Amino acid sequence: MNTVFVGAVEGSLAALSAICEAGHLPKLVVTLPPELAHRHSDFADLAPVAERYGTPVHYTRKSDAPETIAAIAATDPDLVLVIGWSQLCGATFRAVPKLGCVGFHPSDLPKLRGRAVVPWTILLGERDVGASLFWLGEGADTGPIAAKAQFTIDPDTITVRELYDRHLEALVDMLPKLLTRIATGDVPRVPQDETGATTCALRRPEDGRIDWSAPARDIHRLIRAVGPPYPGAFTTTTDGTKLVLTGVRYTPREGYFIGMPGQVQAIEGRQFTVACGDGVCIDILDWSGAEAPPKLHTCLGRVTT
């Protein structure tokens, strides 16, 4: 069975490695040129894996570009795998492979279609989580299901890195098995139930700004939901320095510190404690953007001149 692989992020790299190790070598790998790595905070270079297995690489800025479609068509593909690719693939692209195009989405489709699904999963407090391989169609994430995996998480403790990795595990388990199944002539296509559909909006780096007047629970969740491999939750010190906060816990000494929202209550090494809008404090365990923690008793998010 002739396949083409399209992708550009960590999930793409994991999936490509998994199918190659299972003997499902694609005829072509399509990915972004390195100079466009900034488009994805979780960008991954697929070329080393492709080269290891003798698979040619086609670099493209846009998957619907005529030269890219021609390169894919030249392989006479039965199937195109679009794994970790943020661009929609148009009708001309989707018409090239004989069987169609299979994509991956980190949710239990039709629930949580759309963008930034892994952060939204944590922000929404979801416990029952799914991962879906589906056939690309006209709408975003709307095509028939080819395979699914389901698992549970604790949204009050999990970080986005941990959830991202759980999805990678599901993907690398499902995809080689699906390819083996399709190669035997068993091509699963289960329509999605539109009555359960929801759609997530795009999140931008600016959406990670912390509002210290919010309850500690919400701030704790935001820091965990938008950290690596995404841009991260952030705040500013009184001189305008941007701090990206990536490690957090509730302060063990509950009720001990009393202060204003955003006020730095204690400093211990690089760790510092901040009061939130409901009077509960959190400890910032990991952060970047400055050489030293913010000053004691200053209020984060308030720039003074």
Side-chain angles (χ1 to χ4, degrees):
M1 181 172 67
N2 289 350
T3 63
V4 171
F5 189 95
V6 182
V9 300
E10 286 184 45
S12 314
L13 181 60
L16 178 61
S17 299
I19 64 173
C20 288
E21 289 170 7
H24 297 290
L25 304 182
K27 294 291 185 179
L28 179 71
V29 168
V30 177
T31 190
L32 289 175
E35 62 267 23
L36 295 184
H38 63 275
R39 286 188 180 178
H40 298 280
S41 57
D42 57 343
F43 174 82
D45 183 3
L46 306 189
V49 171
E51 291 168 2
R52 187 184 314 146
Y53 288 95
T55 301
V57 176
H58 174 84
Y59 292 103
T60 185
R61 292 173 173 267
K62 189 175 181 181
S63 48
D64 278 351
E67 62 273 18
T68 298
I69 292 175
I72 294 173
T75 70
D76 190 26
D78 298 292
L79 185 68
V80 173
L81 303 172
V82 183
I83 310 294
W85 190 255
S86 61
Q87 303 173 32
L88 292 178
C89 299
T92 303
F93 180 104
R94 299 195 310 272
V96 173
K98 300 178 184 69
L99 296 174
C101 304
V102 169
F104 174 75
H105 193 71
S107 81
D108 187 4
L109 289 174
K111 191 175 184 180
L112 302 184
R113 293 170 175 167
R115 306 295 292 275
V117 172
V118 181
W120 276 120
T121 298
I122 298 174
L123 291 170
L124 292 169
E126 298 287 333
R127 292 186 179 274
D128 297 319
V129 179
S132 304
L133 289 167
F134 68 102
W135 297 91
L136 301 190
E138 278 295 326
D141 311 320
T142 60
I145 301 299
K148 273 191 181 185
Q150 293 170 321
F151 51 93
T152 59
I153 63 170
D154 182 353
D156 295 327
T157 60
I158 198 167
T159 66
V160 73
R161 178 75 258 180
E162 291 167 341
L163 181 54
Y164 190 104
D165 289 344
R166 290 288 300 274
H167 281 296
L168 292 189
E169 292 171 7
L171 173 59
V172 301
D173 179 64
M174 287 192 296
L175 189 56
K177 294 176 182 176
L178 177 64
L179 292 181
T180 298
R181 183 177 176 182
I182 292 175
T184 65
D186 182 5
V187 184
R189 298 179 190 265
V190 180
Q192 294 188 37
D193 180 3
E194 290 297 321
T195 61
T198 57
T199 300
C200 297
L202 173 70
R203 291 187 63 85
R204 302 182 185 279
E206 180 63 22
D207 297 326
R209 182 184 296 276
I210 296 171
D211 176 5
W212 292 104
S213 68
R217 177 185 177 92
D218 293 349
I219 296 172
H220 191 279
R221 181 162 287 174
L222 177 66
I223 293 172
R224 289 184 292 104
V226 301
Y230 302 110
F234 68 94
T235 190
T236 52
T237 61
T238 53
D239 66 359
T241 300
K242 179 180 176 180
L243 300 181
V244 178
L245 313 182
T246 51
V248 63
R249 72 178 178 192
Y250 293 108
T251 301
R253 301 174 72 179
E254 184 177 350
Y256 179 80
F257 295 107
I258 299 172
M260 296 176 290
Q263 190 171 37
V264 178
Q265 299 294 295
I267 301 173
E268 184 176 343
R270 281 183 57 84
Q271 173 186 314
F272 57 95
T273 301
V274 188
C276 302
D278 56 358
V280 177
C281 292
I282 57 175
D283 293 336
I284 303 304
L285 307 177
D286 191 45
W287 53 275
S288 61
E291 293 184 0
K295 294 181 180 179
L296 188 65
H297 298 152
T298 57
C299 286
L300 299 176
R302 301 182 189 178
V303 179
T304 59
T305 57

